[in-house]
Structure formats: structure tokens, C-alpha cells
Amino acid sequence: MRLFHFIYWITVSASLLPIITYILFPHSLAGFSKAVRKGLIWFFVYLVLHHVACIILQYWIRDSEPAVHFSVLFEFYILLSLFHGIRPIKRIRLISILGVLPFLLDLFWTSTLMEDVIVSSVLYYSTSIYFSYKIIYEKGFEGKETIFSITLLLYFLCCLAYSVFYHFIIENISIFLQVVPVFMVVHLIFYSVLTWGVLEQRKRLSVKTT
């Protein structure tokens, strides 16, 4: 369990890397449109606030599920805005309105505020996978946003698999202790690649200005 907690705190700390990197190099995302830049910044902030909210509730009420309920909803809308900034999404207003339904389902019908958020997680992750794949498929691998699109696609594929098999994982302690650290490492890699993406954009801008 010590290894488990060690990896967890390393992962939580790593969530700070993207936003700290942006703060240190605020012009690193200047090559993106205002909508994309704003979407990335909000997503970086969200990554930190999600962990902070989970930690506070875990110590306060011994359950972080209320924070998870709302964080998956916030994540969905932040990423929807980001994807729309990269590549305009048809019927974006309708999707935005319907997007709250999975959250309400898990809150009042398929789950409760203190229970797992399987339905909304699966639907929101699937939506993010779809839009990130569409961006890669239509814009190719040469766009400025490619590193972030590919990273989000691979990350949410892992999140989707984890959510689908969540109950199977938590019901077996030996499987839980094997899978969860691996999933934390996935998060660690995710934060690291996002940070590298910001630094890579800074490098590109430096090359253009020289």
C-alpha cells in the first residue's frame, strides 16, 4: 500500500506540470487561436482542481465521489469547447444541452451523488474519443494541435477501458492493486506529454522568431 500511495501523490503532483509550464512560458500557446488557447488553459487548471477537490472531500467526508460526479461534467464541457475551437462541431448547442443528461442520469437514476459515475464517465469519455479522433482524421498529423489531440485520444481510450471494467477491478483487491498503479502511471505519462506539448509549442515559436 505504501507504493500505491507513493504513486498516487506523485501523480497528483504531476498534474501541476502543464499549468506551471504555461505560467512560466505564457507565450508558449500564442500560436493557437484564442478558443484553443483558452480551452487548453482551462483544461490544465481543471486537472489540478479535480485532484484538489477529491483530496478535500476524501479527508472531509471520506468519499471523493461527489467531486468526481461534477468533475466529469466540467471536463466534458471544457474539452467540448477545446475540440470546437480546433475544429468547429456541428450542432454544438444541441450537444451542449444534451451533454448534461448523463450527469443527471448518474445523479438521480443510475447512481447517486455518493456512488460511482459509470454511465456519465463512459459517455463523456466516448464523446472525447470521438471528437479527438475526428480532428486527427480530418486534420492529419501536421497540425499544431496534433500532439494534444493524439494525447487526449489515447488517454481517454485508457479511461474508457478503466470505467467499463471499474466494478470488476474494485471487487478484487489483488486486481485493484495491480491495475490502479498502472492507471496512475497512465495519468503521469498523460501530464508529462501535455507538458511536453506546451514546451514544443514554445520551441516552434522560438524557431519562427529567429
Side-chain angles (χ1 to χ4, degrees), residues 1-156:
M1 291 301 289
R2 285 186 177 181
L3 177 62
F4 177 90
H5 286 101
F6 176 75
I7 298 175
Y8 173 75
W9 286 110
I10 290 293
T11 304
V12 170
S13 300
S15 68
L16 290 163
L17 291 176
I19 190 61
I20 289 177
T21 304
Y22 173 74
I23 292 172
L24 292 175
F25 308 108
H27 298 296
S28 55
L29 301 179
F32 293 124
S33 67
K34 182 178 180 180
V36 173
R37 188 164 61 250
K38 186 185 296 184
L40 285 172
I41 294 170
W42 273 112
F43 185 60
F44 295 162
V45 172
Y46 157 80
L47 294 175
V48 177
L49 294 182
H50 163 72
H51 287 300
V52 170
C54 288
I55 291 169
I56 290 174
L57 287 184
Q58 186 63 43
Y59 279 98
W60 187 26
I61 62 173
R62 299 294 178 183
D63 195 338
S64 61
E65 286 302 333
V68 177
H69 268 276
F70 286 92
S71 67
V72 292
L73 177 67
F74 295 152
E75 182 181 64
F76 167 75
Y77 282 109
I78 291 171
L79 289 176
L80 186 66
S81 175
L82 173 60
F83 293 138
H84 185 59
I86 298 175
R87 173 193 168 278
I89 299 173
K90 295 180 179 178
R91 300 186 178 89
I92 181 68
R93 291 185 179 179
L94 177 61
I95 295 173
S96 297
I97 295 171
L98 295 178
V100 76
L101 293 181
F103 167 76
L104 295 176
L105 281 174
D106 266 338
L107 197 59
F108 298 111
W109 187 30
T110 57
S111 183
T112 68
L113 186 63
M114 307 301 291
E115 295 177 343
D116 308 326
V117 290
I118 304 300
V119 173
S120 55
S121 294
V122 168
L123 290 175
Y124 289 147
Y125 295 158
S126 298
T127 303
S128 294
I129 290 169
Y130 172 76
F131 285 126
S132 56
Y133 171 77
K134 285 274 289 183
I135 290 171
I136 297 169
Y137 179 78
E138 296 186 4
K139 296 178 75 72
F141 295 94
E142 297 181 358
K144 296 191 295 289
E145 306 89 353
T146 299
I147 181 62
F148 296 108
S149 301
I150 294 176
T151 302
L152 289 169
L153 173 64
L154 296 177
Y155 171 70
F156 282 112

